Amino acid sequence: MASSNTHILVDDGFNEYESAIKCQKSTTSKVWDEMTKLECENKNELKAQCNHCKTIFSAKSSSGTSHLRRHLNSYLKKFNKDITQYTIGIQPSPKGVPSIKNYKFDADECRKAISTFLVCGKHSFRIVEELGFRYMMRIVSPNFKNISRYTAARDVLMYYAKERDHVKEELAKAPGLICLTSDNWNLEHTNDEYICVTAHWVDKDWKLQKRIIRFRALFPPYDVKAGLELTDDVVGKIRNGIRYIKKSGIRRKRFYDVADKSFHLNVTKKLRQDACVRWNSTYLMLESSLYYKDVLDYWGQRDKDYQMFALSDEEWRKVTIICKFLKVFYDVTCVFSGSNYPTANLYFRRVWKVYKFLLDTVKGPYSFLTPMVKQMQENFNKYWAEYSLILSCAAILDPRYKLNYVQYCFNTIYDVHALDFVETILSNLRLLFDEYVKKSKSTSSSLAGSSNVSDKNPIDSGLDEHNDNSADFGGCFDESDDYKRYLNESSTRSEKSQLDIYLEEPELELNSQIDVLDYWSKSSVRYNELSLLARDLLAIPISTVASESAFSMEIGCKKDDDDDEDDEDDDVSSVAF
């Protein structure tokens, strides 16, 4: 038996691996990845050749490899870039393989991105001094130097000033008129009021543009009341009942658990609270309450604090009717908000439908709606009186509507008096068009006067002035030029205007989908002055929809369905200059 001190040899292959490693140790330097050993006649002498420049060096073991490493470092710095300056591109190449992009840390771009992060996320400037933020930036970019909250604030103001100057340049280049809208907004849980001034115009490529040029707080609050407060007390009970349920996180969770397990409802659809001056948000609130009607009734039987908000069957019937009534307004709002840049021609058809709907509802069978509808009519009549002329002119410049559709709509509202309104609209549109024709001729004349030079020889002109033989007392009068001028003036007086020709052409199909700005862009050669009028008129925003994006963050933000609706658009006014 072998003693405990006797070593037992086990052939596991590891001994052979160790032997091979020892044999290779002498040539494990990384320089041999870029060098090739050369055999010489004298076996005691060893040479090495650079794989890149083919230079041959001595490679004696006594010389080491330092001189080879120095050569490689020098050569690679000349002809290669440091791999740390490259990064894998986010977008794949056409062949589907990620591309290599040259990357260099840009401190200014990084600071600009931080400013955008602070503004869009409504973060405190102090966040840039937090350890977590600085740790994140150190991991993302080791070259980033930490900044203080004071530097962050200065950066935001600096980038704001640059953006402001850029907007000024854009406004200066606007080819036509610029329209301004003012939009009020209320933050419900703080009662803070704000006003936003937005500029709207059509650019040289016939694209509708908008830029915020002023945003500030309003003091004192600007209040607007809607007619919904006159709908008995059912809307108020719904509003307060939903607020009661959503006020407690535990109560809200229990409510949705009951809806899911006992009534098998899809609880991803949430109860909605409204902004009480926005009819469309009230519609969404009532629509969500009708969806959860059975759950709300169940809740009213078991929660004594909620019983004061519980509705009877008759009250639920009223809610259903009010909801159907408000859906008309909601649908109109959806049409306007469906486009980020709604042109003025979109409004006439929808606003007319709302106006006619109010007239018909007053005569309807639901007497409890009458106080609310009359209040809404009063507010709407003010709007219609102020904007119907602009709305109608913009509609006429829509090739689907033109004059016939506008006349039809006025007939349904004013009956025998409709023709008077239509004639007034057409008369104002003609006057406006004539101004554009005069402006166009004035511009053309000034350009022609500044660029045209007389073809007559100045020497001949001077001779004519002093040549008695040039005097003419009528005996040799040539009337041909004067006659041509007379014919041109006569044809101009009898010639149809661009507006007349446009109106006489048949309309496009009423419900066809067209880009009206694209239509006028393509028609600008044929209807030169009329297209300029259309460009300025269609840029006038008649609704707050075009500017309400000022009150929301559009960069990767999504509002939770369960969040309260706390923004309220109150008023809008517009003026062209």
Side-chain angles (χ1 to χ4, degrees), residues 473-488:
F473 296 98
C476 300
F477 172 69
D478 185 359
E479 75 281 5
S480 58
D481 289 338
D482 191 51
Y483 178 63
K484 289 179 181 178
R485 186 163 49 251
Y486 168 77
L487 290 178
N488 288 334

Side-chain angles (χ1 to χ4, degrees), residues 32 58-68:
W32 298 114
S58 170
K60 290 182 179 180
S61 59
S62 59
S63 301
T65 58
S66 298
H67 63 299
L68 302 178

Side-chain angles (χ1 to χ4, degrees), residues 114-392:
I114 291 175
S115 297
T116 303
F117 162 78
L118 293 171
V119 172
C120 292
K122 296 176 280 189
H123 299 292
S124 167
F125 293 126
R126 193 182 297 274
I127 196 174
V128 300
E129 296 178 346
E130 293 180 4
L131 294 178
F133 180 86
R134 292 186 169 180
Y135 172 73
M136 176 185 69
M137 294 304 300
R138 186 167 67 249
I139 296 299
V140 171
S141 181
N143 294 325
F144 175 74
K145 293 183 179 179
N146 292 328
I147 60 175
S148 68
R149 61 183 182 272
Y150 304 109
T151 301
R154 285 196 299 270
D155 283 353
V156 168
L157 291 176
M158 177 186 68
Y159 290 122
Y160 162 77
K162 288 182 178 180
E163 289 296 323
R164 179 193 60 197
D165 294 340
H166 178 64
V167 169
K168 286 182 179 179
E169 292 176 4
E170 288 186 308
L171 293 174
K173 295 177 182 177
L177 299 181
I178 299 172
C179 182
L180 300 180
T181 59
S182 62
D183 193 8
N184 293 353
W185 179 68
N186 169 261
L187 193 62
E188 189 175 29
H189 61 271
T190 63
N191 284 327
D192 291 334
E193 295 278 347
Y194 299 92
I195 186 171
C196 171
V197 179
T198 307
H200 310 256
W201 74 97
V202 176
D203 64 17
K204 61 181 180 63
D205 297 320
W206 288 85
K207 301 297 182 184
L208 192 59
Q209 302 289 342
K210 63 174 181 177
R211 298 291 185 273
I212 297 170
I213 60 175
R214 189 65 171 167
F215 187 94
R216 63 174 299 172
L218 276 181
F219 304 98
Y222 178 79
D223 193 20
V224 172
K225 297 295 183 183
L228 289 171
E229 63 188 16
L230 303 175
T231 57
D232 205 46
D233 62 343
V234 290
V235 174
K237 291 174 76 172
I238 290 286
R239 180 183 297 122
N240 293 327
I242 291 177
R243 184 179 293 122
Y244 168 78
I245 291 172
K246 298 184 72 172
K247 187 175 182 180
S248 166
I250 297 175
R251 190 183 301 125
R252 183 170 61 243
K253 184 178 182 304
R254 284 177 53 205
F255 178 87
Y256 290 124
D257 284 343
V258 170
D260 179 22
K261 297 174 182 177
S262 301
F263 293 88
H264 309 292
L265 295 177
N266 179 10
V267 294
T268 58
K269 179 182 177 68
K270 303 296 184 182
L271 284 173
R272 300 288 296 266
Q273 282 186 258
D274 71 333
C276 56
V277 297
R278 293 180 64 183
W279 297 332
N280 60 322
S281 69
T282 301
Y283 163 76
L284 292 174
M285 179 186 72
L286 298 183
E287 192 262 345
S288 70
S289 68
L290 287 170
Y291 179 78
Y292 284 104
K293 174 183 177 300
D294 293 339
V295 187
L296 291 171
D297 287 340
Y298 174 87
W299 202 265
Q301 296 170 8
R302 286 160 176 76
D303 187 339
K304 63 179 181 179
D305 293 328
Y306 179 80
Q307 288 177 357
M308 61 186 297
F309 308 123
L311 270 63
S312 65
D313 291 341
E314 175 61 22
E315 288 175 323
W316 276 118
R317 188 183 71 87
K318 289 183 178 181
V319 169
T320 302
I321 294 170
I322 296 171
C323 189
K324 289 180 179 179
F325 173 80
L326 293 180
K327 189 178 187 301
V328 175
F329 298 91
Y330 176 75
D331 290 341
V332 170
T333 303
C334 288
V335 172
F336 294 159
S337 60
S339 170
N340 289 330
Y341 304 97
T343 44
N345 61 299
L346 295 177
Y347 296 100
F348 177 83
R349 188 176 183 183
R350 278 81 187 182
V351 172
W352 163 75
K353 285 185 176 181
V354 170
Y355 193 23
K356 188 174 185 303
F357 178 70
L358 289 174
L359 292 175
D360 295 341
T361 304
V362 169
K363 304 172 185 176
Y366 305 115
S367 58
F368 75 94
L369 284 177
T370 302
M372 176 188 72
V373 174
K374 285 187 175 180
Q375 177 65 45
M376 294 170 74
Q377 264 190 314
E378 184 179 337
N379 294 334
F380 201 89
N381 285 339
K382 295 176 183 177
Y383 178 90
W384 182 256
E386 185 173 355
Y387 288 107
S388 60
L389 177 60
I390 299 175
L391 291 169
S392 302

Side-chain angles (χ1 to χ4, degrees), residues 476-534:
C476 300
F477 172 69
D478 185 359
E479 75 281 5
S480 58
D481 289 338
D482 191 51
Y483 178 63
K484 289 179 181 178
R485 186 163 49 251
Y486 168 77
L487 290 178
N488 288 334
E489 291 177 355
S490 299
S491 63
T492 300
R493 285 193 292 267
S494 61
E495 188 180 81
K496 291 182 179 180
S497 70
Q498 295 174 15
L499 179 59
D500 292 327
I501 297 172
Y502 165 77
L503 292 176
E504 288 178 0
E505 290 184 343
E507 299 88 351
L508 300 181
E509 202 281 318
L510 182 62
N511 295 315
S512 60
Q513 299 296 318
I514 68 166
D515 181 340
V516 70
L517 291 180
D518 182 63
Y519 169 87
W520 282 108
S521 173
K522 294 175 179 177
S523 303
S524 58
V525 175
R526 186 181 182 194
Y527 301 120
N528 184 19
E529 291 86 4
L530 188 59
S531 67
L532 298 179
L533 169 60

Side-chain angles (χ1 to χ4, degrees), residues 4-144:
S4 59
N5 294 328
T6 303
H7 293 283
I8 301 175
L9 297 177
V10 179
D11 185 10
D12 57 1
F14 187 72
N15 292 332
E16 184 178 351
Y17 172 76
E18 277 191 321
S19 300
I21 290 297
K22 288 178 181 179
C23 293
Q24 295 175 7
K25 259 190 175 178
S26 59
T27 58
T28 55
S29 174
K30 290 184 178 181
V31 300
W32 298 114
D33 294 338
E34 309 293 337
M35 292 282 185
T36 301
K37 291 181 180 179
L38 301 177
E39 294 183 0
C40 301
E41 294 181 359
N42 184 354
K43 294 183 178 181
N44 294 326
E45 188 176 2
L46 188 64
K47 298 289 185 179
Q49 185 180 47
C50 177
N51 293 342
H52 304 283
C53 66
K54 307 304 179 182
T55 304
I56 298 176
F57 300 90
S58 170
K60 290 182 179 180
S61 59
S62 59
S63 301
T65 58
S66 298
H67 63 299
L68 302 178
R69 185 178 295 106
R70 285 194 297 272
H71 167 75
L72 290 172
N73 288 338
S74 175
Y75 179 86
L76 293 175
K77 282 183 179 179
K78 288 181 181 178
F79 297 97
N80 292 335
K81 293 182 179 178
D82 187 353
I83 193 66
T84 59
Q85 295 299 311
Y86 288 87
T87 184
I88 300 294
I90 296 175
Q91 297 295 333
S93 66
K95 296 181 179 180
V97 180
S99 59
I100 301 293
K101 292 182 182 178
N102 191 3
Y103 167 76
K104 187 174 182 180
F105 174 74
D106 190 327
D108 292 336
E109 283 297 316
C110 190
R111 294 263 288 270
K112 185 176 181 181
I114 291 175
S115 297
T116 303
F117 162 78
L118 293 171
V119 172
C120 292
K122 296 176 280 189
H123 299 292
S124 167
F125 293 126
R126 193 182 297 274
I127 196 174
V128 300
E129 296 178 346
E130 293 180 4
L131 294 178
F133 180 86
R134 292 186 169 180
Y135 172 73
M136 176 185 69
M137 294 304 300
R138 186 167 67 249
I139 296 299
V140 171
S141 181
N143 294 325
F144 175 74

